DNA sequence: ATTCTTAAGTGGTCAGACCACTATCCTTTA
DNA sequence: TAAAGGATAGTGGTCTGACCACTTAAGAAT
């Protein structure tokens, strides 16, 4: 079975075999996998080969290992995909602008998504935000944007957004000023009305307030 | 240096150390890395630990190993971790949709960016594409989109797009049909005219052709 | 019944030994 | 001289066995 065409890279076969085992045993997220020694015996390979395969899957975020306990199926919805590449491929974070621009791309897309979806744009959470914006309580900037990106429903986009937020120079953790609240209110209203175009314009107004400069530049 | 806070997973530290070595030596794609035995000696760890790290990076497609020759920096743009994640992570159709949606977010943003930038939208490369689209030569789908994302100038967005393209189920490597060429032509024209709104609409027309279904859904 | 000790099981790491393969140098040969 | 061939060193691929650090749970002592 696993002997079909043994490639020159045994550990790659093991990766495939592990997939088979997981599937056959119907393992669910959080379940414990057989120990390295058991796997080595069952697949008739050395333990080091098993480990090379497991470590690869671990770096991918597919499994999780705990010393003294065992190996477990990880929640691959939180794949470290982006993190790995952010530390390896994207070794040139010299362009903070790229980070900010990309973050805005996702924010803008989320706003449009919600505006165009009758269900999402009528969620009660937006009404709650409107009330809070009218009040005097301090509101952190990222609260609103995070809710927007979350509600848009694209988990990968959300993941990327969270990552970029960390690298961003935009002061997302600060509270909103009064005029800022007004712009945010307009943004929400346009979004709830399903007018994605105007909602995006209000979003850009808000950016102007937060950042100050940059208007008229190409907005990439 | 590499002894700063050794985590419980040594091989993860090694992964980081390898990144440092690659960076310091200014290694470029195709360059040869030090041998496993040399690395083990230099980083003061066992060879198996080095191998676990290297195998992880190999599965990610970041390096390439050839028995008898050595380990080389791979071209991450082409390698196939597609297969791995499509069999592990991407079993969940929800994840697949996230990938496709996110990829479209970046494509759409790039189109808007270029449309709104007088310099970028008048680049001679678009004229070349128009000519090619009029001709009978086969054109690969991703050629045009890749050029668009490249020209948009956001390197981070480009890297994310490259990554997502690998995971995507959309047949980007196929050639364009005749009616497809017409839509692409319209997309380019609107973009060159600076009409981002219409350009995006043509882009969505193109998506309809490529994928077939999905129209009227909320487009996130 | 509680606490403590112990043993078994697990992942983490290392060292050494082969094997298979590749490239290179160097001898042999035509 | 030039080509063919073979020995050799270096590389990744794999296995074995041995520790270590840690967790868990069974069992002993209180």
């Amino acid at each position: 079975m696993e002997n079909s065409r043994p490639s020159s890279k045994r550990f790659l076969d093991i990766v495939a075999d592990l997939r088979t085992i997981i599937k056959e045993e119907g393992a669910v997220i959080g379940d414990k996998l057989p120990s390295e020694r058991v796997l080595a015996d069952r697949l008739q390979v050395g333990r080091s080969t098993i480990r090379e395969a497991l470590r690869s899957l671990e770096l991918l975020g597919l499994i999780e290992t705990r010393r003294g306990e065992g190996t477990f199926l990880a929640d691959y919805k939180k794949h470290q995909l982006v993190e790995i590449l952010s530390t390896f491929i994207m070794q040139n974070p010299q362009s903070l602008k790229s980070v900010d621009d990309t973050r805005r791309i996702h924010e803008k897309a989320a706003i449009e998504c919600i505006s165009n979806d009758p269900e999402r744009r009528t969620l009660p959470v937006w009404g709650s935000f409107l009330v809070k914006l009218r009040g005097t309580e301090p509101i952190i900037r990222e609260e609103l944007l995070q809710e927007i990106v979350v509600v848009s429903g694209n988990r990968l986009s959300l993941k990327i957004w969270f990552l970029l937020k960390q690298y961003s120079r935009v002061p997302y953790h600060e509270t909103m000023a009064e005029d800022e609240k007004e712009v945010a209110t307009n943004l929400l209203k346009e979004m709830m009305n399903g007018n994605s175009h105007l909602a995006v314009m209000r979003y850009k107004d808000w950016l102007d307030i937060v950042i100050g400069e940059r208007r008229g530049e190409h907005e990439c």
Side-chain angles (χ1 to χ4, degrees), chain A:
Chain A
M1 175 174 293
E2 64 277 320
N3 241 353
S4 63
R5 200 161 299 183
S7 42
S8 62
K9 321 275 187 182
R10 190 92 104 195
F11 91 97
L12 285 179
D13 298 327
I14 301 300
V15 168
D17 290 338
L18 286 175
R19 184 180 114 269
T20 303
I21 289 179
I22 291 173
K23 202 169 187 175
E24 283 180 351
E25 302 196 348
V28 188
I29 290 173
D31 282 5
K32 191 170 179 297
L33 298 181
S35 75
E36 297 178 349
R37 291 168 177 86
V38 171
L39 286 173
D41 187 64
R42 192 192 311 186
L43 298 179
Q44 287 294 292
V45 294
R47 192 182 154 211
S48 47
T49 303
I50 293 288
R51 280 185 61 81
E52 290 181 9
L54 288 177
R55 252 19 77 199
S56 301
L57 297 180
E58 181 175 5
L59 192 66
L60 275 177
L62 296 175
I63 62 174
E64 182 185 354
T65 57
R66 296 197 282 271
R67 167 186 280 182
E69 299 182 47
T71 306
F72 305 84
L73 253 185
D75 182 357
Y76 28 72
K77 285 193 189 64
K78 57 172 185 180
H79 35 357
Q80 296 173 302
L81 181 69
V82 181
E83 284 83 348
I84 301 297
L85 277 99
S86 69
T87 58
F88 245 90
I89 295 180
M90 167 191 153
Q91 75 281 29
N92 285 346
Q94 86 286 4
S95 52
L96 279 176
K97 188 171 182 310
S98 272
V99 175
D100 279 334
D101 287 343
T102 307
R103 186 179 45 70
R104 289 192 200 99
I105 286 175
H106 285 262
E107 290 169 354
K108 178 165 167 282
I111 290 173
E112 289 178 327
C113 162
I114 296 175
S115 298
N116 292 328
D117 183 6
E119 287 194 25
R120 287 194 172 88
R121 75 174 187 237
T122 53
L123 252 37
V125 69
W126 309 129
S128 308
F129 262 110
L130 282 181
V131 172
K132 284 177 65 177
L133 282 167
R134 249 195 301 274
T136 54
E137 290 179 60
I139 302 182
I140 310 293
R141 280 171 180 154
E142 69 177 20
E143 286 182 24
L144 178 56
L145 281 178
Q146 177 169 325
E147 190 66 30
I148 288 175
V149 179
V150 168
V151 170
S152 79
N154 186 330
R155 286 173 165 271
L156 179 56
S157 178
L158 173 63
K159 187 82 184 167
I160 295 175
W161 183 82
F162 259 114
L163 178 70
L164 297 180
K165 181 162 67 75
Q166 294 178 323
Y167 289 102
S168 178
R169 61 186 167 174
V170 176
Y172 267 14
H173 56 284
E174 294 182 2
T175 58
M176 291 176 129
E178 281 308 312
D179 53 347
E180 214 175 321
K181 288 184 179 178
E182 187 180 336
V183 175
T185 302
N186 291 334
L187 163 56
L188 274 177
K189 284 181 178 173
E190 299 295 355
M191 199 173 73
M192 294 169 74
N193 286 336
N195 198 328
S196 64
H197 187 62
L198 287 180
V200 169
M201 288 188 65
R202 295 294 84 77
Y203 165 68
K204 290 181 178 173
D205 291 343
W206 180 79
L207 280 182
D208 290 338
I209 293 181
V210 174
I211 317 186
E213 85 276 21
R214 54 170 300 119
R215 180 64 164 181
E217 296 182 28
H218 55 79
E219 46 232 24
C220 295

